[in-house]
mmCIF file of all heavy atoms in Angstrom:
data_model
loop_
_atom_site.group_PDB
_atom_site.id
_atom_site.type_symbol
_atom_site.label_atom_id
_atom_site.label_comp_id
_atom_site.label_asym_id
_atom_site.label_seq_id
_atom_site.Cartn_x
_atom_site.Cartn_y
_atom_site.Cartn_z
ATOM 1 N N GLY A 162 8.241 5.243 19.360
ATOM 2 C CA GLY A 162 8.998 5.622 18.139
ATOM 3 C C GLY A 162 8.200 6.248 17.082
ATOM 4 O O GLY A 162 8.765 6.567 16.013
ATOM 5 N N ALA A 163 6.837 6.370 17.243
ATOM 6 C CA ALA A 163 6.056 7.045 16.216
ATOM 7 C C ALA A 163 6.411 8.482 16.064
ATOM 8 O O ALA A 163 6.860 9.179 16.938
ATOM 9 C CB ALA A 163 4.564 6.863 16.563
ATOM 10 N N GLU A 164 6.212 9.033 14.813
ATOM 11 C CA GLU A 164 6.429 10.381 14.517
ATOM 12 C C GLU A 164 5.266 11.323 14.729
ATOM 13 O O GLU A 164 5.382 12.473 15.099
ATOM 14 C CB GLU A 164 6.960 10.605 13.112
ATOM 15 C CG GLU A 164 8.248 9.873 12.816
ATOM 16 C CD GLU A 164 8.703 10.102 11.353
ATOM 17 O OE1 GLU A 164 7.929 10.591 10.550
ATOM 18 O OE2 GLU A 164 9.862 9.666 11.028
ATOM 19 N N ASP A 165 4.055 10.716 14.525
ATOM 20 C CA ASP A 165 2.869 11.567 14.627
ATOM 21 C C ASP A 165 1.645 10.654 14.752
ATOM 22 O O ASP A 165 1.634 9.499 14.417
ATOM 23 C CB ASP A 165 2.754 12.400 13.374
ATOM 24 C CG ASP A 165 1.672 13.528 13.568
ATOM 25 O OD1 ASP A 165 1.317 13.869 14.691
ATOM 26 O OD2 ASP A 165 1.181 14.075 12.521
ATOM 27 N N MET A 166 0.578 11.209 15.354
ATOM 28 C CA MET A 166 -0.666 10.547 15.481
ATOM 29 C C MET A 166 -1.806 11.584 15.277
ATOM 30 O O MET A 166 -1.719 12.665 15.814
ATOM 31 C CB MET A 166 -0.882 9.801 16.776
ATOM 32 C CG MET A 166 -2.127 9.038 16.895
ATOM 33 S SD MET A 166 -2.452 8.374 18.609
ATOM 34 C CE MET A 166 -3.548 9.661 19.136
ATOM 35 N N LYS A 167 -2.786 11.261 14.508
ATOM 36 C CA LYS A 167 -3.974 12.155 14.307
ATOM 37 C C LYS A 167 -5.196 11.380 14.098
ATOM 38 O O LYS A 167 -5.175 10.251 13.592
ATOM 39 C CB LYS A 167 -3.680 13.182 13.171
ATOM 40 C CG LYS A 167 -3.415 12.531 11.801
ATOM 41 C CD LYS A 167 -3.047 13.556 10.776
ATOM 42 C CE LYS A 167 -2.609 12.899 9.436
ATOM 43 N NZ LYS A 167 -2.258 13.935 8.474
ATOM 44 N N GLU A 168 -6.302 11.990 14.367
ATOM 45 C CA GLU A 168 -7.642 11.411 14.192
ATOM 46 C C GLU A 168 -8.245 11.934 12.912
ATOM 47 O O GLU A 168 -8.133 13.139 12.669
ATOM 48 C CB GLU A 168 -8.557 11.686 15.320
ATOM 49 C CG GLU A 168 -8.037 11.075 16.685
ATOM 50 C CD GLU A 168 -9.038 11.271 17.832
ATOM 51 O OE1 GLU A 168 -10.177 11.627 17.544
ATOM 52 O OE2 GLU A 168 -8.633 11.030 18.969
ATOM 53 N N GLU A 169 -8.792 11.068 12.137
ATOM 54 C CA GLU A 169 -9.485 11.482 10.853
ATOM 55 C C GLU A 169 -10.731 10.645 10.724
ATOM 56 O O GLU A 169 -10.676 9.445 10.468
ATOM 57 C CB GLU A 169 -8.487 11.233 9.671
ATOM 58 C CG GLU A 169 -9.066 11.776 8.336
ATOM 59 C CD GLU A 169 -8.038 11.694 7.237
ATOM 60 O OE1 GLU A 169 -6.866 11.972 7.456
ATOM 61 O OE2 GLU A 169 -8.486 11.317 6.113
ATOM 62 N N ASP A 170 -11.871 11.346 10.831
ATOM 63 C CA ASP A 170 -13.224 10.654 10.723
ATOM 64 C C ASP A 170 -13.270 9.501 11.737
ATOM 65 O O ASP A 170 -13.134 9.770 12.933
ATOM 66 C CB ASP A 170 -13.406 10.153 9.287
ATOM 67 C CG ASP A 170 -13.395 11.319 8.248
ATOM 68 O OD1 ASP A 170 -13.802 12.403 8.669
ATOM 69 O OD2 ASP A 170 -12.950 11.080 7.156
ATOM 70 N N ASP A 171 -13.422 8.323 11.257
ATOM 71 C CA ASP A 171 -13.574 7.180 12.146
ATOM 72 C C ASP A 171 -12.296 6.369 12.401
ATOM 73 O O ASP A 171 -12.294 5.296 12.869
ATOM 74 C CB ASP A 171 -14.658 6.213 11.587
ATOM 75 C CG ASP A 171 -14.301 5.692 10.233
ATOM 76 O OD1 ASP A 171 -13.413 6.233 9.593
ATOM 77 O OD2 ASP A 171 -14.874 4.741 9.772
ATOM 78 N N MET A 172 -11.158 7.022 12.026
ATOM 79 C CA MET A 172 -9.856 6.327 12.107
ATOM 80 C C MET A 172 -8.895 7.165 12.932
ATOM 81 O O MET A 172 -9.015 8.342 13.112
ATOM 82 C CB MET A 172 -9.239 6.193 10.675
ATOM 83 C CG MET A 172 -9.956 5.295 9.757
ATOM 84 S SD MET A 172 -9.021 5.112 8.253
ATOM 85 C CE MET A 172 -8.763 6.796 7.796
ATOM 86 N N ILE A 173 -7.920 6.429 13.452
ATOM 87 C CA ILE A 173 -6.755 6.991 14.139
ATOM 88 C C ILE A 173 -5.554 6.620 13.260
ATOM 89 O O ILE A 173 -5.340 5.410 12.978
ATOM 90 C CB ILE A 173 -6.575 6.504 15.526
ATOM 91 C CG1 ILE A 173 -7.702 6.957 16.428
ATOM 92 C CG2 ILE A 173 -5.189 7.027 16.138
ATOM 93 C CD1 ILE A 173 -7.657 6.419 17.807
#
Side-chain angles (χ1 to χ4, degrees):
E164 296 180 352
D165 193 17
M166 186 189 93
K167 57 186 177 182
E168 297 185 13
E169 185 174 320
D170 300 327
D171 59 346
M172 294 185 308
I173 296 173

